[in-house]
Amino acid sequence: MAIERTNPAGLHATPGYHHVTKVEAAHLVFLAGQCPLDEAGELASGGFLGQTDQVVRNILVALESVGARPEDVVRTVIYVVSPVREDLSAVWARLTESPLAPAFSTASTLLGVAQLGFPGQLVEVDVTAAL
């Protein structure tokens, strides 16, 4: 499998992700949007950062279950319940400093949204990997 990540000339500089991810793979893996729920189904405490940490743990478990690593991720979409740019930036920083960080060097989108599926949920991450 080959993954090529590029930032073509004529596009703005990015804070760590790439504008284009090209992949030739035998298998694509699509994770459900990973929520900040622990194994018992309880919402993680600690606001944006605590919930982000739980989402990272969940994604790592899901990727490992199919033999994938953060480096195999080809697309992420990050949802944060906030209209405040600093909240989105804090979640992005936490993700890119986590053990999942290589997943965010690929094509990524960061969105502020009005709400997510679970009461009190502040963060969700959608992941696609290639194997």
Side-chain angles (χ1 to χ4, degrees), residues 13-115:
T14 70
Y17 66 88
H18 289 86
H19 284 289
V20 178
T21 300
K22 179 181 172 185
V23 62
E24 192 170 315
H27 300 282
L28 292 177
V29 177
F30 301 91
L31 302 186
Q34 292 300 295
C35 302
L37 302 178
D38 65 18
E39 192 172 0
E42 298 295 322
L43 186 66
S45 61
F48 290 108
L49 300 183
Q51 288 194 16
T52 300
D53 293 344
Q54 184 64 53
V55 167
V56 166
R57 285 191 287 278
N58 295 350
I59 292 169
L60 290 170
V61 168
L63 288 174
E64 185 178 321
S65 77
V66 295
R69 304 168 302 132
E71 292 82 2
D72 298 321
V73 171
V74 295
R75 176 87 172 122
T76 63
V77 181
I78 304 127
Y79 304 92
V80 180
V81 178
S82 179
V84 179
R85 181 166 283 121
E86 290 78 16
D87 293 338
L88 278 69
S89 294
V91 169
W92 176 259
R94 189 66 154 225
L95 290 168
T96 59
E97 295 166 359
S98 76
L100 189 58
F104 302 101
S105 69
T106 197
S108 293
T109 300
L110 175 63
L111 301 167
V113 298
Q115 66 180 345

